[in-house]
Amino acid sequence: MSVRKRLSPEESRIAALEAARALLIEAGPQAVTLKAVAGRIGRTHANLLHHFGSASGLQKELARHLAETICVGIREAVIASRSGIGSPRDVVELTFDAFDREGAGALASWMLLTGNEDALDPIVDVIHDLVIELNEFGSDTMRGTTLTLVLMALGDAQMGGPLSQALELPRTAARDYAATMLEKATAENGQIMQAG
């Protein structure tokens, strides 16, 4: 007879979100179901319903979990760049990887296609909070740059490979353009802060 480890509600929720994230990366957003996640962590479907309410609730919490986890890395990269340890390219790489390799782009598209648009709210909220936190001077340039960077990363995750190939550009072309844009905006923002 197997004995399941008793998890606190928070531990159970985190385990479910990590399992959902692994399923997202391994098999895509359509694989992130309550049944699949429950099976992966050795819990029941009813247990996950208790935590998330529905499959769309799980998707919404997964979106929040991904955004929070990813934004921690981006925050650290921005701070490192400002202190001369890192570069704007590091921020671009983290952002593009989040939407591509980490599955945020596929999850966002899946939620839109399945009519779960409000599940994107946590992603938008976390990005907003990060920009406000890191942009104490409220520069419109940096907010616009963030918008462009996120949209470029999302688009690249969806069709960057085929489109760059069709245009006979290197696969990294969108990342290269994004890095140039961010370097320019960072320099402009630095000038604004020095002038102010």
Side-chain angles (χ1 to χ4, degrees):
M1 180 187 325
S2 82
V3 177
R4 287 193 309 186
K5 181 184 178 222
R6 182 118 173 107
L7 299 175
S8 72
E10 184 59 18
E11 289 172 328
S12 184
R13 187 180 147 296
I14 295 295
L17 290 171
E18 286 302 320
R21 184 178 185 173
L23 283 165
L24 174 66
I25 293 167
E26 293 166 15
Q30 69 282 358
V32 181
T33 65
L34 290 171
K35 182 178 179 180
V37 171
R40 181 148 302 192
I41 62 172
R43 300 291 181 233
T44 65
H45 183 270
N47 182 265
L48 290 186
L49 275 175
H50 171 74
H51 287 291
F52 303 106
S54 65
S56 65
L58 172 62
Q59 289 176 352
K60 189 171 187 173
E61 283 304 306
L62 177 58
R64 179 184 314 282
H65 181 67
L66 280 174
E68 288 171 352
T69 303
I70 291 161
C71 281
V72 166
I74 292 172
R75 178 184 298 110
E76 291 169 0
V78 168
I79 291 168
S81 176
R82 286 181 178 173
S83 64
I85 298 170
S87 71
R89 180 66 185 227
D90 297 335
V91 175
V92 168
E93 293 297 330
L94 284 168
T95 305
F96 273 67
D97 286 349
F99 281 93
D100 189 15
R101 291 186 206 146
E102 295 293 320
L107 180 63
S109 296
W110 179 259
M111 290 186 302
L112 288 170
L113 288 171
T114 58
N116 194 11
E117 296 93 358
D118 67 329
L120 295 176
D121 292 347
I123 295 173
V124 173
D125 292 343
V126 170
I127 291 169
H128 172 266
D129 293 346
L130 177 64
V131 169
I132 296 302
E133 176 188 338
L134 294 174
N135 191 19
E136 61 274 10
F137 293 95
S139 164
D140 286 341
T141 300
M142 291 312 290
R143 285 194 297 264
T145 301
T146 301
L147 172 67
T148 305
L149 177 61
V150 170
L151 292 175
M152 287 177 77
L154 176 60
D156 187 69
Q158 296 304 309
M159 57 186 292
L163 188 56
S164 59
Q165 184 178 10
L167 296 172
E168 299 176 357
L169 292 168
R171 178 60 184 97
T172 61
R175 290 177 188 236
D176 298 338
Y177 288 117
T180 300
M181 174 197 66
L182 187 55
E183 287 163 6
K184 181 180 176 188
T186 301
E188 287 175 10
N189 198 46
Q191 291 171 355
I192 290 167
M193 290 189 302
Q194 288 173 354

